[in-house]
Amino acid sequence: MIFTCLATGSDGNAYLLESQNAALVIEAGAKTYKKIIVAIPEKKKLVGVIFSHQHSDHYGDVEKVAKISKEITFIDNRYEDDFFIVKRFSVWHNVECFGFAIFCKEEKKTLVFMTDFARVIDKTVYNLKVDFLAIELSYNELICNQMTEQEKFGLQHHCSDFHSIGIMRKLFSNNQEMKAVTIHKSDRACNYALTNRALYKNFGLRAEIVNIGRKYNF
């Protein structure tokens, strides 16, 4: 399995999940279409595009990508094809929003994707054995607490480092071999040197801030 971050953050989000013979686009934010098209391997079948919620930085180019695949653009809790089983679970944002547990039939591995949320509503995700976790870590909680209400407006709808690391701990307890990357960072309230130190202290080399364009194999 290969997970690639093509774009992340408030300017646009796009990610690609590849198995041996298929590819699935996760999020297609505004102005990410060209990045997505270039990244899709020619010899792999694009089975579709899924999205967490309808904010433009996650949904803006979904319909363009959907016209290419002519397959899944959204799911009602569960989707299955020859390559993937996709199940969504509810998270709390300021609009209806979902995370995804994606099982690859070819390689028998599971990816969990969670972004733009302040808390997990459907806690059944904590029971999964996860091989790769892509999870939002938007801000440092200590830095945020020192900001004015106006300065931190909107951050309350997103996931802090303390919360993200807490979720990682629960999922690492199910699978010590799990790998994790943090996505959707916000420069408004995050010191990424502190974030890296916190991730390393808790999980060593198993967790890191995502690098755009890097292919993560798991």
Side-chain angles (χ1 to χ4, degrees):
M1 296 284 285
I2 302 173
F3 176 82
T4 308
C5 172
L6 306 176
T8 187
S10 57
D11 290 334
N13 296 269
Y15 310 86
L16 186 68
L17 179 63
E18 301 173 56
S19 67
Q20 293 178 12
N21 297 294
L24 177 67
V25 174
I26 307 172
E27 314 281 62
K31 300 179 181 179
T32 63
Y33 177 78
K34 291 182 179 179
K35 294 178 182 178
I36 292 169
I37 296 305
V38 169
I40 297 170
E42 292 183 4
K43 296 183 179 180
K44 294 184 180 181
K45 179 182 178 182
L46 176 61
V47 299
V49 53
I50 58 178
F51 60 94
S52 58
H53 62 294
Q54 291 190 356
H55 282 161
S56 63
D57 59 326
H58 296 261
Y59 180 79
D61 282 350
V62 163
E63 294 180 11
K64 287 184 180 179
V65 178
K67 289 178 181 177
I68 300 170
S69 67
K70 298 181 181 178
E71 297 282 348
I72 174 177
T73 56
F74 198 62
I75 57 175
D76 294 326
N77 296 323
R78 191 176 188 276
Y79 166 84
E80 182 173 355
D81 59 26
D82 293 338
F83 304 99
F84 300 107
I85 298 174
V86 183
K87 189 178 187 307
R88 72 181 189 182
F89 54 92
S90 297
V91 296
W92 187 87
H93 192 39
N94 61 339
V95 297
E96 186 178 51
C97 190
F98 300 93
F100 295 98
I102 305 169
F103 177 74
C104 173
K105 293 182 176 180
E106 293 179 282
E107 301 180 37
K108 305 294 189 293
K109 291 185 176 180
T110 298
L111 174 140
V112 164
F113 179 89
M114 309 168 68
T115 190
D116 279 40
F117 71 101
R119 68 176 184 271
V120 178
I121 297 173
D122 181 356
K123 294 181 172 54
T124 58
V125 65
Y126 296 143
N127 299 325
L128 296 176
K129 181 182 178 182
V130 180
D131 297 288
F132 193 91
L133 172 67
I135 184 170
E136 176 185 47
L137 192 165
S138 278
Y139 64 96
N140 177 276
E141 208 160 292
L142 294 176
I143 294 174
C144 182
N145 289 339
Q146 297 172 14
M147 299 168 68
T148 67
E149 290 302 314
Q150 184 175 0
E151 288 173 334
K152 63 184 179 183
F153 178 77
L155 291 178
Q156 70 270 26
H157 303 136
H158 293 269
C159 191
S160 73
D161 51 358
F162 290 168
H163 190 191
S164 181
I165 287 171
I167 292 171
M168 285 186 200
R169 282 203 188 101
K170 292 177 182 178
L171 293 177
F172 269 120
S173 69
N174 297 340
N175 181 12
Q176 292 297 313
E177 301 301 316
M178 184 183 84
K179 295 181 180 180
V181 293
T182 66
I183 57 176
H184 209 292
K185 59 186 180 181
S186 169
D187 293 330
R188 271 199 298 154
C190 210
N191 178 319
Y192 292 105
L194 291 176
T195 299
N196 268 326
R197 285 201 292 271
L199 291 173
Y200 185 82
K201 180 180 179 181
N202 282 274
F203 310 112
L205 296 175
R206 295 175 297 172
E208 61 182 275
I209 298 171
V210 76
N211 286 314
I212 296 175
R214 176 179 167 184
K215 292 183 178 294
Y216 292 89
N217 293 275
F218 65 96

